[in-house]
Amino acid sequence: MDRLFYVGVSAALFAAFAFSLNFVVPFIIGDYSTFDFALVRHVVSALVGLYILFSQKGAIRHRCGTVCRPSGSPSSDMSVTS
């Protein structure tokens, strides 16, 4: 199986785990409020997302010349005419 399959399955398991915490954590967080839990959960999710984004350096770089055009678009000079 290829790497994308494992990444997808891992992301699905992480999402299911993060969702299940909504039901488990209120019983065990003690003196912390649900706002504190939500803040920490969103920060952790953001850090995981940033790690995934920056682990694939080529995914965020443009691999074309000075102007990137969608495929199938005419290769005009992109000037605006009225």
Side-chain angles (χ1 to χ4, degrees):
M1 306 231 176
D2 63 342
R3 183 175 182 275
L4 289 178
F5 174 79
Y6 291 114
V7 169
V9 169
S10 299
L13 290 174
F14 179 74
F17 175 72
F19 179 73
S20 68
L21 288 178
N22 290 328
F23 304 104
V24 175
V25 170
F27 297 111
I28 59 174
I29 58 175
D31 294 336
Y32 298 104
S33 70
T34 54
F35 175 77
D36 295 330
F37 167 65
L39 180 67
V40 169
R41 188 181 68 179
H42 283 84
V43 167
V44 168
S45 295
L47 291 175
V48 169
L50 287 173
Y51 171 75
I52 291 170
L53 176 68
F54 289 117
S55 67
Q56 297 293 326
K57 296 274 186 197
I60 58 175
R61 291 185 186 154
H62 291 287
R63 295 185 182 248
C64 58
T66 57
V67 177
C68 293
R69 294 184 187 92
S71 62
S73 67
S75 59
S76 63
D77 60 31
M78 308 270 294
S79 61
V80 177
T81 58
S82 51

